[in-house]
Amino acid sequence: MIRHIVFFTVPSDRLDAAEAGLKTLERVPHADRLEIRRNLNRDLMSNEVDLVVYGEFADEAALARYKADPLYQSAIDWVRPLREMRIAADIIS
């Protein structure tokens, strides 16, 4: 299984719009699990992250199909101008 985790920092006045754009990813059919959530910002050491994308994929091919889906590109086009930072990690579990 591949876990795909992406962190976003977004100015507060753009947070709702960025979240809405990322939520469109939940309609992409290639993930076993995909969630878009706001960070609770309860960590004492770091609260930079505003939004998190968490996905689980059967294998690298499923992750590639997800990233090739037109809805994925649409979400990128929507969110990229709204965000400040994006950090992504794909891990095998």
Side-chain angles (χ1 to χ4, degrees), residues 32 53 62 87:
D32 295 331
V53 175
I87 297 175

Side-chain angles (χ1 to χ4, degrees), residues 10-22 38 51 78 82:
V10 182
S12 60
D13 63 326
R14 300 179 192 171
L15 189 56
D16 290 339
E19 182 178 26
L22 291 172
R38 288 188 183 205
L51 295 167
W78 182 337
L82 302 174

Side-chain angles (χ1 to χ4, degrees), residues 24-39:
T24 64
L25 295 171
E26 293 176 341
R27 299 193 327 249
V28 178
H30 309 290
D32 295 331
R33 178 180 183 175
L34 192 79
E35 299 177 1
I36 297 10
R37 297 288 186 266
R38 288 188 183 205
N39 183 13

